Amino acid sequence: MWTPPAQDEGASLIPGLTEGPPRGTMTGLSNKPGRYWWGVGAAALAGVAVLVVIGVLAATRIGHRATGDQAPVTPAVLAPTGGISTSNSASASASASASASGSGSTRPAGRQPGVAQASVIAGYLTQSGQARQGIGAAISAISRCTNIPSAVTTLENAADVRTRILAGLASADVSALPNGAAAVADLSRAMQASADADRHYAAWGQTIAGCRAQAPHNAEFVAAQQADIMATAAKQRFADEWNPIAARYGLAQQSANTI
């Protein structure tokens, strides 16, 4: 009797297929897709992580660049047409103008006292020069025994002028004049000696009043001559000290014969 071959329990029911695939083969195929998708997922996660890192680095770099770029942008003072540059230029110009104005106003302020003080001395010299104009003629008149009373009056008036100048010099401020104290001291000596000489000449005229032709020389005449010599020496010293001052302030030069 014929017996059909025994079928495996796992045989496929598909027609035409007499035996199912080996179990080992099916098991291997069923495990491969799981591993594949796990690898794909891991790769995707790694890619995402890389992108995140790149994004963070890029953002950080951009942040640093923006922070670093802000500092150079701020000093817009270098721009010729920038508002900051214009205001700074205006401030600098104002400061320069203030400095120039300050220095310009300082110089006249320092010069003004010297001009005023020198002008006072020049005024005294003018008075003395005017008084001197008649002295020579008065001495000559006495010497010739002519117009002695008028000559005596002229000499006394000149002595009074010199005395008033001497009083003014005693309180004159010459602190701003170069070598001013020495100049005023010599001018004072000159005024004192000149006043003494004028008075001695006037006294000489009074003592020889009524003389004829030629007036005799007496003690008053000798004293007048001595005082005149002292006055001339003091006037010359003063002129040497005064003329640089006069040149500095645009005033008249002097000599022993003009004071």
Side-chain angles (χ1 to χ4, degrees), residues 101-146:
S101 175
S103 61
S105 61
T106 301
R107 274 179 285 193
R111 183 181 173 84
Q112 188 60 36
V115 173
Q117 293 175 12
S119 297
V120 171
I121 304 302
Y124 291 142
L125 295 174
T126 299
Q127 295 176 25
S128 179
Q130 292 172 348
R132 180 186 174 87
Q133 293 177 359
I135 291 177
I139 294 173
S140 294
I142 294 174
S143 181
R144 295 190 309 268
C145 297
T146 57

Side-chain angles (χ1 to χ4, degrees), residues 147-249:
N147 298 322
I148 291 179
S150 177
V152 168
T153 300
T154 298
L155 290 167
E156 288 176 343
N157 289 338
D160 291 341
V161 170
R162 263 69 183 273
T163 300
R164 287 195 296 272
I165 292 174
L166 186 62
L169 292 174
S171 59
D173 181 11
V174 290
S175 58
L177 301 181
N179 206 25
V184 167
D186 282 325
L187 182 58
S188 297
R189 295 186 187 98
M191 291 297 102
Q192 182 63 66
S194 294
D196 292 343
D198 294 339
R199 288 195 174 90
H200 284 302
Y201 280 126
W204 171 52
Q206 290 173 340
T207 58
I208 53 96
C211 66
R212 296 178 178 275
Q214 185 70 35
H217 294 171
N218 56 21
E220 293 293 346
F221 178 82
V222 172
Q225 290 282 293
Q226 292 175 345
D228 207 359
I229 293 172
M230 294 175 62
T232 300
K235 289 176 183 179
Q236 188 58 58
R237 290 194 303 271
F238 167 76
D240 293 340
E241 295 155 349
W242 166 257
N243 288 337
I245 299 174
R248 179 172 183 174
Y249 298 111

